[in-house]
Amino acid sequence: MVDKVIQTNSVTIVGKIVSELEFSHQMYGEGFYTFYIEVPRLSENSDVLPVTISERLFVGIELKPGVELVIEGQLRSYNRYSDGSNRLLLTVFARDIYLPHDEEELLELRRKPNEIFLDGYICKQPVYRTTPFGREITDLLVAVNRPYNKSDYIPCIAWGRNARFSEKLRVGDHVRLWGRIQSREYQKKLPDGEVLNKVAYEVSISKMEYLKDENNREGKLKAESV
């Protein structure tokens, strides 16, 4: 059962550590730490993503700024009470890490530095919008089950044709998504007028699959790659 659940949420990222290792918490005698990793995009930009890792995974590996490594795991969510409300926070939960053997292997890995697959359910009505430049976007919130009756709630963004398709989805629909994890900076204005710079994390969807037979919806929906 555990292996089946893990297959519904799979992440592989390749990048460079850009922060010091910090202790996060302990569970059943096992210590967990956090750090940030810079993952290049196909463009000249990059995403800086939070990682959570067990102390048992990096025995014999020095995790420090500048180290390039491969992380395989899941994208997980949890709630934190802050500023009078609950905030949904995301982290890449590492299940395995390794260092590339040489520069040739590292170059090969950099061809696909950021990949995620999710198999889950729409848990909030999708919101379709257009940017000031006329680009179509649909915001989704996808619930992905994991062991012990828990779920991760993953914000996702669909573009173009997938945005138009996603607008038709309903709460409870079963979908599969492929894409990458991205970080996005934004500003939040407080009641006293102060402006805070914040970072949001979400999945940018490149391909979608709608499980028509399982959803048993009337009408025809067809997802496309962008």
Side-chain angles (χ1 to χ4, degrees), residues 136-204:
E136 297 172 291
I137 300 175
T138 294
D139 296 303
L140 307 168
L141 188 64
V142 179
V144 181
N145 295 328
R146 59 177 160 104
Y148 311 112
N149 295 318
K150 294 184 178 181
S151 297
D152 293 296
Y153 298 91
I154 313 297
C156 303
I157 291 183
W159 310 85
R161 292 174 295 176
N162 278 338
R164 294 192 294 273
F165 161 75
S166 301
E167 184 185 14
K168 304 181 183 73
L169 294 173
R170 301 174 186 171
V171 173
D173 279 350
H174 189 179
V175 294
R176 290 179 179 146
L177 312 173
W178 292 260
R180 65 178 177 83
I181 309 169
Q182 69 177 20
S183 59
R184 174 175 54 83
E185 295 182 354
Y186 70 99
Q187 292 184 324
K188 180 179 180 179
K189 189 173 183 179
L190 301 180
D192 61 3
E194 182 183 0
V195 177
L196 297 179
N197 294 319
K198 291 182 170 290
V199 179
Y201 303 101
E202 59 212 359
V203 171
S204 178

Side-chain angles (χ1 to χ4, degrees), residues 10 27 71 81 207 222:
S10 177
M27 185 176 294
I71 298 174
Y81 189 78
K207 179 183 176 183
K222 182 180 180 182

